[in-house]
Amino acid sequence: MALYWPEQRVALDIVDDPYRRPFEGDDSYTVLRVTCADLRDYNSYRKVMKRLCELLGREMPALPRWDDTDRDLGDMLFCWDMEEELLAGSWTRESDVDSDMPSQDTIHNVEILAADEESGRHMKAFAEHEGRYVRNVSIWDGPTPEGSYADIGPTMRMSTPEFFFLRKANQLPFADAVSMGNELCGKFRTSCTQYSLTDGYDFLAKPRTNKARLRKYLRGARGTKECKRAKRVLRYVVDECSSPMGNYLYVLLCLPRSHGGYGIAHAVMSGAFEEHEQLMPASSGPYLAYDLCWPDQRVAIQYTGASKPSVRALEALNAGGMHTICVTDKDAEDPELFDKIARKLARKLGVAIPEPDDKQWLAARKRLRRRLEMPRYACMRLTIDDISEHR
């Protein structure tokens, strides 16, 4: 934007304002060009204001305690980063959101994200003055690449899924961070990424982000320790996971052995295939897609709930030469039963996994299971009936 004082023929042009309308005056104007960073930093802001006052023929204010109150106002206005952890809406491009994007007027419960505690206190006071409930104040002093925020009002902006991933990847244990990444890149959301979900989870029409978008976003933080950590997590994140149980099974099977997983190659999540006019899974069964699948080897893992599938459902899952290994609640919950499933899967894939008497790996597996609890939501199968319960 550009601000004009026509009588004094002076203009202030903020050259990197995303909503900028460039200076349009003639050569008679004296144009003071600044950046957003110049205005956010109080010391450089003071220099800008001093120069502007000189151009306008005004004196800088010299009232008692004026500097303190001016600094407080600057902190409140220029450090205002209010984050709505719901991450509502789905990001279609780095800067565009769909019609589900919340507006500032509809958000009354917020979490504030600030660069330091002092800024957080000012922002909390401002939010409460506007009548909002502040459930938490988070501090982030790491990198903030381009594409970290989406504006939702004149005094509020929301963290994008990509920025959420960068921060949480540096705050959560490794397995939790991978699980969180799968959720952001998947078609479901739990309380991990939406604070208001306490009893169930939502099924989403499309993911909120994906690995390619996260990878592109992280280039803006290249060289930082936070970026390096996030990239290590991203290496094990997968796209298109459709349920908390699918996510859980993936983490147990595909995380590195050093983190307690079986180290099996990444699976295709929520995969459905067609070959020679044959659907896999076949439409004669209830399942719409495989929870985890290795299509080149024609092997899949299917979560089937409390019991094994019917003969008809299993035939539909095994269509086209697919070999489907079914997992029940009991199988997923019991480490020894699940170990048998993992070893059966490894044989089908022709890969080596940790030996059952490897004490170091067994200790890591125990830590992983203790760290990442099995999800116990109702209706987690990839059937139309179960999915419909979460829309």
Side-chain angles (χ1 to χ4, degrees):
M1 63 180 292
L3 303 177
Y4 298 84
W5 289 265
E7 292 183 4
Q8 293 86 356
R9 314 303 289 172
V10 173
L12 176 69
D13 192 3
I14 306 172
V15 297
D16 59 349
D17 183 343
Y19 301 107
R20 176 189 181 223
R21 292 183 61 182
F23 170 71
E24 297 175 348
D26 55 36
D27 292 341
S28 66
Y29 272 86
T30 299
V31 184
L32 182 58
R33 291 185 168 86
V34 300
T35 66
C36 292
D38 292 331
L39 299 180
R40 286 196 182 99
D41 180 82
Y42 185 74
N43 291 328
S44 62
Y45 158 77
R46 288 276 293 175
K47 292 178 182 179
V48 171
M49 291 302 105
K50 183 178 180 181
R51 177 57 179 156
L52 183 60
C53 285
E54 290 173 354
L55 293 173
L56 295 175
R58 300 291 183 88
E59 294 290 333
M60 285 284 284
L63 297 173
R65 293 185 53 79
W66 183 85
D67 281 346
D68 291 339
T69 55
D70 187 48
R71 184 184 292 272
D72 288 344
L73 178 62
D75 287 340
M76 184 177 293
L77 294 178
F78 296 124
C79 297
W80 178 247
D81 294 337
M82 183 174 286
E83 176 183 37
E84 176 42 49
E85 296 278 22
L86 274 87
L87 298 177
S90 300
W91 273 251
T92 55
R93 297 196 298 273
E94 276 63 35
S95 59
D96 295 339
V97 299
D98 65 15
S99 58
D100 291 333
M101 186 71 170
S103 68
Q104 177 174 327
D105 293 339
T106 64
I107 294 177
H108 305 291
N109 185 328
V110 297
E111 173 164 341
I112 288 173
L113 180 63
D116 53 63
E117 292 184 2
E118 184 179 0
S119 298
R121 286 195 297 270
H122 288 301
M123 292 152 61
K124 182 175 186 290
F126 189 91
E128 291 175 341
H129 178 73
E130 287 197 330
R132 305 183 199 281
Y133 170 73
V134 179
R135 64 179 181 271
N136 190 32
V137 177
S138 296
I139 305 300
W140 172 256
D141 59 0
T144 306
E146 183 179 354
S148 293
Y149 289 104
D151 291 328
I152 58 176
T155 61
M156 190 184 295
R157 52 186 181 169
M158 187 169 78
S159 172
T160 62
E162 293 76 28
F163 188 32
F164 185 91
F165 174 81
L166 171 61
R167 292 185 293 104
K168 297 302 181 183
N170 281 274
Q171 296 166 352
L172 296 173
F174 185 82
D176 299 66
V178 172
S179 178
M180 174 274 303
N182 290 344
E183 187 169 321
L184 286 177
C185 295
K187 294 183 177 180
F188 74 99
R189 61 186 176 192
T190 70
S191 58
C192 176
T193 60
Q194 175 141 336
Y195 83 97
S196 59
L197 288 172
T198 55
D199 298 327
Y201 70 91
D202 287 342
F203 183 84
L204 306 175
K206 55 186 176 181
R208 289 165 286 179
T209 189
N210 57 48
K211 286 191 69 172
R213 199 177 304 163
L214 288 171
R215 194 176 293 112
K216 180 178 179 181
Y217 166 81
L218 289 175
R219 292 174 192 158
R222 187 185 290 115
T224 65
K225 67 180 187 300
E226 291 86 358
C227 177
K228 293 175 182 178
R229 162 73 178 187
K231 288 175 72 173
R232 285 196 297 272
V233 171
L234 185 60
R235 193 175 301 133
Y236 292 95
V237 169
V238 285
D239 288 324
E240 299 287 333
C241 184
S242 291
S243 79
M245 182 55 81
N247 185 20
Y248 181 69
L249 297 177
Y250 169 83
V251 171
L252 292 182
L253 291 168
C254 300
L255 232 56
R257 302 176 187 187
S258 59
H259 288 278
Y262 285 84
I264 292 174
H266 292 190
V268 173
M269 308 301 291
S270 310
F273 311 93
E274 182 178 6
E275 185 175 272
H276 307 305
E277 298 184 356
Q278 170 69 67
L279 294 176
M280 298 176 283
S283 57
S284 57
Y287 291 93
L288 304 177
Y290 299 105
D291 285 289
L292 287 75
C293 188
W294 293 261
D296 291 343
Q297 291 89 352
R298 286 289 204 278
V299 179
I301 291 284
Q302 196 71 35
Y303 168 67
T304 60
S307 59
K308 297 291 185 183
S310 67
V311 173
R312 182 180 178 184
L314 185 58
E315 288 176 350
L317 287 168
N318 287 333
M322 186 70 71
H323 185 96
T324 308
I325 302 172
C326 297
V327 180
T328 65
D329 291 325
K330 186 177 180 180
D331 295 327
E333 184 175 27
D334 188 307
E336 300 312 315
L337 290 178
F338 190 78
D339 186 72
K340 293 179 181 179
I341 286 173
R343 296 188 184 284
K344 182 177 181 180
L345 172 64
R347 288 194 298 272
K348 294 293 181 183
L349 295 175
V351 298
I353 60 175
E355 295 296 327
D357 58 353
D358 184 333
K359 293 182 179 180
Q360 187 174 357
W361 171 75
L362 287 172
R365 186 185 71 171
K366 185 177 181 179
R367 288 193 298 270
L368 173 61
R369 281 184 163 271
R370 189 188 309 123
R371 174 74 247 167
L372 210 64
E373 292 186 5
M374 174 181 143
R376 300 186 183 279
Y377 304 106
C379 304
M380 290 189 288
R381 298 173 305 164
L382 296 189
T383 66
I384 189 63
D385 289 341
D386 279 19
I387 289 173
S388 296
E389 293 293 322
H390 303 286
R391 293 187 67 86

